[in-house]
Amino acid sequence: MTAEDTSGDIAPSSQANLELASTESNTDTTTSKDATPVDGVSHSWNTIQDRLRTSVVSISTNRPMAFEEDSPETSYATGFVVDSEKGIILSNRHVMGTGPSFHKATFFGNQVVYLQPAYYDPVHDFAFFRYDPSEVQGIEPTAIRLAPEKARSGLEFRIVGNTSNERMSVHQGELSQLDRNAPRYTGNYSDFNTFYFQASSGSKGGSSGSPVVDIEGDAVAIKCGSKDISSTAYMLPLERVVYALDYVKEGLVPPRGTLQTVFGHVDHTGIGRLGLSPEMAGSEGIDINSTTGMLKIDKILPDGPAFNVLAVGDILISANGKAIPGFSELFEIMDASVDKQVRLRVFRKGQFCSHSVVVGNIYDITPSKLLYIGGALLCNISYHQAVKWSAPIYGVNIASDSNGFFQNAKYEECKIIYAANGKPTPNIDALMEVLRDFPRDKPVVIKAKDHRDLREEAVFVARHPLVTPPNILYTRSPTTGFWSIESYGGMVAAKEDICAAKSIDLLSGSDPEPGQPSGMMSAASMSVDMFLSGHGSQPFVQKVSNSAVGIISNSITPADGQTWNESYGSGLIIDKHQGIVLCNTETVKNPTCIVWIRFAGLVRVRAKLAYTHPLYPISFLKYNPKEL
């Protein structure tokens, strides 16, 4: 994944990793203190590796297909054991990924076990893997205790991970900022609605998912990203991690509420600019001077629960009568109020006002299906994509298109499908229903929008490729994290479809009409007779003109040394009853090409490569005469 910002690059620390960007200045801190006794027990940084040796693992990820904001990739990162009895490992969401993938963990002593992607948070950058404790032999992994309450400014820490894939690398630092807004990624995924910790550390790629531990070996945060141009590192606080872990231990999915709203933390200066004075806040029981700032609304997604209820710029005062100084307090209430009303009090344009909002279930807008059809990968618009594009969570995202099913959409740069064949497609289920009984040989009329500018719309024709693997629907289980696979019956081949698996024998041909020649040899003799009898005469020219066709070929799959390209050429009909066209091999390079034949410059029908001569540069195409 990649990230963008206008001021600098930040890289989340897995090898696949994102590059982040941030507008904040770096903070230099000093590190390294002597060992100190804690609770009567002497602890030393010199033994930190020995104490965490069996707890920290290296995670390798193989992600074979695109999904949501993820691209196919192979990467490595870090994780650490948080429950040794049940075999639970904590790492980052961007390490696990959100789509189908394979994961392995390497424990101390090079013991490799396969991982189950148990849970990833729909918003924040953390995820839990499961492993079978019985597969780890010779060592007893020790769970690292999560202690979010110990985080404080100036706390000395160590990041123990796999920076640059070097095992058990240790980086030191001190927490310098605890209320930083989440760093912005240059890709589709960006964390939000949470504070991040900031510190100076030299950890880079591969250290994503590393524990940030104090001198007692307790984790106070999890490493997520770093800045490429400096030593600045970014860590996620653990309050919501602890909340989710309690559910994951029991095999449950933690309740998560959403208003489809992005909140940001604003300091005292920003609060004053929005018109809220300390005296006015005091009338609501808020002591601004005792806080580092307040939450305000930065973005509201169209058609979400808060749309036309709250407004961008609102300063959040309280929820259900409880003061909200930070993100943790807000989302404790949101997660406990799924499908229920919450009463929010906000400051807007110089006055206080209260609004009731029904909290949505975040899993209802989290994609869990991936449709592979005609070489294209389609899924619902994700929450993170909608936030990045400022778009409603409506439509189907073209995550990938390797065989040219939606190649016209590529030209238009439109990747959000809103309608197919005149029917709305708010989600992947609606699109599958439209295509379920639609024949493969017919074009599909697609209405799509440009994700970069939703005002830009395009209507284009999509055609199922001739050569493609079976259409498959992948579905993720919310409880196990595994993906099930089932065949999708949409876009079935018609009986007369030349794209069907049945091969074409050009040497014998199909049954010709009475009195007509049959087979390729007869077709060739027709061409010779036509040339000998009409050479130099006007009837010959007219006959050739009627037999000439235009050919458009898209080579969308690398084959026979060819990569993607579009080529144009001409051909000659040598058997109109069987639908056989003679052309140059350079026009249609391999059987995976998508081929159209244009008649009289007006009518266009699909065709396929039926035969290519092994020595001479001639090929024969086959089309269905019934389509004319």
Side-chain angles (χ1 to χ4, degrees), residues 23 147 151 280 460:
T23 58
M280 297 176 67
F460 59 89

Side-chain angles (χ1 to χ4, degrees), residues 58-252:
S58 174
I59 297 176
S60 61
T61 298
N62 181 8
R63 194 174 299 134
M65 57 186 67
F67 182 72
E68 288 190 39
E69 62 271 0
D70 295 336
S71 301
E73 62 184 4
T74 299
S75 62
Y76 58 83
T78 307
F80 59 98
V81 177
V82 292
D83 191 319
S84 56
E85 293 182 359
K86 297 184 178 181
I88 301 177
I89 292 174
L90 173 63
S91 188
N92 289 135
R93 169 195 161 117
H94 76 262
V95 172
M96 175 184 290
T98 56
S101 54
F102 304 92
H103 310 274
K104 293 188 293 185
T106 303
F107 281 82
F108 176 71
N110 292 325
Q111 296 193 54
V112 179
V113 298
Y114 283 93
L115 299 177
Q116 171 191 347
Y119 174 80
Y120 69 85
D121 190 85
V123 175
H124 305 313
D125 198 8
F126 72 88
F128 294 103
F129 295 94
R130 285 188 181 272
Y131 68 94
D132 186 352
S134 64
E135 294 182 357
V136 182
Q137 304 293 327
I139 63 172
E140 295 184 3
T142 302
I144 296 179
R145 189 174 78 90
L146 303 183
E149 71 281 355
K150 299 174 72 173
R152 58 178 175 80
S153 181
L155 176 70
E156 187 175 6
F157 66 81
R158 297 292 187 270
I159 295 177
V160 184
N162 303 294
T163 299
S164 301
N165 206 24
E166 298 294 336
R167 305 276 180 83
M168 296 300 292
S169 299
V170 180
H171 299 269
Q172 62 184 6
E174 289 184 359
L175 295 180
S176 58
Q177 187 176 350
L178 304 184
D179 57 357
R180 184 196 192 280
N181 281 316
R184 289 186 294 164
Y185 293 79
T186 56
N188 289 324
Y189 172 75
S190 290
D191 205 344
F192 54 88
N193 288 344
T194 181
F195 287 128
Y196 263 67
F197 298 161
Q198 175 183 325
S200 181
S201 171
S203 58
K204 295 296 182 181
S207 64
S208 280
S210 299
V212 182
V213 299
D214 64 0
I215 197 169
E216 295 182 86
D218 295 334
V220 299
I222 179 173
K223 169 71 187 303
C224 295
S226 58
K227 210 168 190 177
D228 281 345
I229 60 176
S230 71
S231 60
T232 304
Y234 300 96
M235 306 108 172
L236 178 70
L238 297 178
E239 286 85 359
R240 306 315 294 161
V241 177
V242 172
Y243 164 78
L245 179 59
D246 292 338
Y247 285 89
V248 173
K249 286 181 178 179
E250 303 302 323
L252 303 175

Side-chain angles (χ1 to χ4, degrees), residues 176 190 225 420 438 468 475 580 599:
S176 58
S190 290
F438 199 77
T468 179
T475 305
I580 300 176
F599 296 83

Side-chain angles (χ1 to χ4, degrees), residues 516-517 521-531 574-576:
Q516 297 294 336
M521 298 304 294
S522 298
S525 64
M526 285 178 60
S527 299
V528 173
D529 293 342
M530 178 183 68
F531 178 79
I574 59 176
D575 193 322
K576 67 178 181 179

